[in-house]
Amino acid sequence: MGKTKAMFLLQITACLALDCTAFTTNFVKFSKKMFASPEKRMQSSLRMALTPVGPFCPFRSSASNEMNPKMEYLNDATPNFAIEMARLQLDMQTGQKPDPDRLKKVAAGINSAVDDWEDLLARLRLSNDFQTREYAKLTQAHLGRHGQTSEEISVMMRWQSKCMVAMAENQMPPPPPAGMDIMKMMEEAKSAQEGKASSPPSINAMAAANKITSTPFTGDESAFKSDTVKDEYKKLCLDHASLIDMGASYASFDGIGKLAFLDEIEKIEERWDIFYARFSLLGQLNRKFVNQCEEFLKSMSLSESEFRELLKEAHNIMREDAERERNLLPQ
């Protein structure tokens, strides 16, 4: 279970950033229906959270779009790993020695995945763009909730790979990396299994979850008959898209500039909350959309409020980084 937990956590960024073409298409169609001059940059996913914030913002920077193939590749590889790991575990549970070639194949696949994971995280962290850096901080915050860091996950996965190779070659497994508490991992896994602690996202649950295919609004809501509401929605979308464009050079901002940008991001999030809340109070927020969001969040072992807290944690980490930059500047 500890190893499986590591694999699940290893893929969290890719899972958060999955593309959902069907929902995107519907969202863009709705926006075109509402706007005389549609905003052309609504290209990617708005999938899980009830408001289009964080990784579910439909306005994508070019840098984040360039990262999508790597994220999708990692996510596509996860079910295959889960299947192979399940087969190996079943063999051992039934007293059978796992096939050596299969062990070596899985071990090589793990090393390759860790290489890709480390490369992706490095690109996210070093990017000039705000959205891609936000992905990295979301990963950091999520792993932190499970008492892990990305570096620890990588070390643990590489050790697992070495153990598999040793098993395949009938050799003694290598000792655990320094600082790895195997007993603690087993206890955490047992607590999660018994419902005493939050569990990592389940690949099986995620695969079974219904994807977000509906939109937050159908376009037929009575509120949109008001030109004031339509204008507010258009301005909110345009302001959000403009802010994402500005964030493309986030790394070049000084510490104060980064803090000011984060303030603007949170203001946009508040505006979306108010806009959505108005429709929710009127009973005009698409119920199918709400249900699908809740189901998908549930499959990731997150509630809507927990996701919002996670995003807040990520932004707080970015604020701390900005404050440290300020302290490093000449007085």
Side-chain angles (χ1 to χ4, degrees):
M1 283 298 296
K3 298 174 184 177
T4 304
K5 173 183 177 181
M7 179 62 74
F8 289 156
L9 290 175
L10 179 64
Q11 303 299 328
I12 186 62
T13 299
C15 291
L16 285 173
L18 277 173
D19 185 51
C20 186
T21 304
F23 177 70
T24 302
T25 301
N26 289 339
F27 193 86
V28 172
K29 284 181 179 178
F30 170 72
S31 297
K32 288 181 177 179
K33 180 178 179 181
M34 297 308 303
F35 301 163
S37 300
E39 175 55 52
K40 64 181 180 180
R41 295 197 62 250
M42 302 182 75
Q43 298 174 348
S44 191
S45 61
L46 163 60
R47 293 212 321 172
M48 302 194 308
L50 292 182
T51 53
V53 298
F56 315 122
C57 169
F59 313 105
R60 311 308 302 166
S61 66
S62 58
S64 65
N65 282 330
E66 289 171 3
M67 296 291 180
N68 280 343
K70 282 187 170 290
M71 292 180 174
E72 290 171 0
Y73 173 78
L74 277 172
N75 182 75
D76 291 342
T78 300
N80 293 331
F81 275 130
I83 292 172
E84 290 300 324
M85 291 290 288
R87 288 174 177 170
L88 292 174
Q89 289 174 346
L90 181 60
D91 286 345
M92 289 186 283
Q93 287 173 357
T94 57
Q96 300 181 34
K97 181 179 178 181
D99 179 71
D101 290 337
R102 183 187 293 172
L103 281 169
K104 290 183 178 180
K105 180 180 178 181
V106 173
I110 288 174
N111 280 330
S112 178
V114 173
D115 288 340
D116 290 333
W117 162 258
E118 290 176 335
D119 178 67
L120 173 62
L121 274 186
R123 289 172 180 269
L124 294 175
R125 290 167 179 159
L126 298 175
S127 172
N128 290 328
D129 177 60
F130 170 78
Q131 279 190 324
T132 48
R133 288 192 172 204
E134 186 182 51
Y135 285 145
K137 298 307 180 183
L138 274 166
T139 303
Q140 181 180 340
H142 190 278
L143 292 177
R145 287 189 170 192
H146 292 275
Q148 296 279 359
T149 66
S150 58
E151 291 79 10
E152 290 170 344
I153 293 295
S154 294
V155 169
M156 183 165 56
M157 296 303 293
R158 292 194 189 281
W159 173 71
Q160 180 183 359
S161 174
K162 292 178 181 178
C163 289
M164 289 182 174
V165 172
M167 184 181 296
E169 297 177 348
N170 289 319
Q171 297 179 357
M172 289 292 293
M180 180 183 291
D181 190 337
I182 300 296
M183 293 303 298
K184 180 181 177 181
M185 290 170 56
M186 293 176 64
E187 290 173 1
E188 289 176 350
K190 183 179 179 181
S191 295
Q193 192 174 31
E194 295 174 351
K196 298 178 181 178
S198 61
S199 60
S202 164
I203 297 300
N204 292 334
M206 294 172 99
N210 292 325
K211 302 300 183 287
I212 307 300
T213 57
S214 57
T215 56
F217 317 116
T218 64
D220 297 324
E221 291 85 359
S222 59
F224 278 112
K225 294 178 182 179
S226 166
D227 289 337
T228 301
V229 174
K230 286 191 285 187
D231 289 344
E232 179 185 359
Y233 182 66
K234 179 177 180 178
K235 181 169 175 50
L236 182 50
C237 288
L238 292 176
D239 287 350
H240 199 167
S242 178
L243 193 59
I244 295 303
D245 283 337
M246 183 186 300
S249 56
Y250 178 81
S252 68
F253 302 164
D254 60 18
I256 294 177
K258 287 183 173 71
L259 292 171
F261 184 86
L262 287 164
D263 288 341
E264 293 304 311
I265 285 289
E266 293 186 358
K267 288 178 183 177
I268 284 287
E269 292 175 358
E270 290 173 1
R271 287 170 63 187
W272 277 116
D273 285 341
I274 293 170
F275 192 85
Y276 269 53
R278 194 178 304 150
F279 277 77
S280 181
L281 289 172
L282 294 172
Q284 294 185 7
L285 197 61
N286 188 352
R287 193 68 233 170
K288 184 177 180 181
F289 168 77
V290 174
N291 291 339
Q292 287 182 341
C293 287
E294 289 175 348
E295 283 301 311
F296 206 92
L297 283 169
K298 184 179 179 181
S299 75
M300 295 187 70
S301 300
L302 291 171
S303 66
E304 182 196 350
S305 61
E306 287 171 335
F307 168 75
R308 288 174 178 273
E309 290 171 3
L310 190 64
L311 185 61
K312 183 69 174 178
E313 284 181 36
H315 289 172
N316 284 340
I317 293 172
M318 299 181 84
R319 286 184 179 279
E320 291 170 1
D321 290 343
E323 290 287 1
R324 277 192 288 271
E325 284 186 37
R326 292 180 63 190
N327 293 334
L328 290 175
L329 293 175
Q331 298 296 325

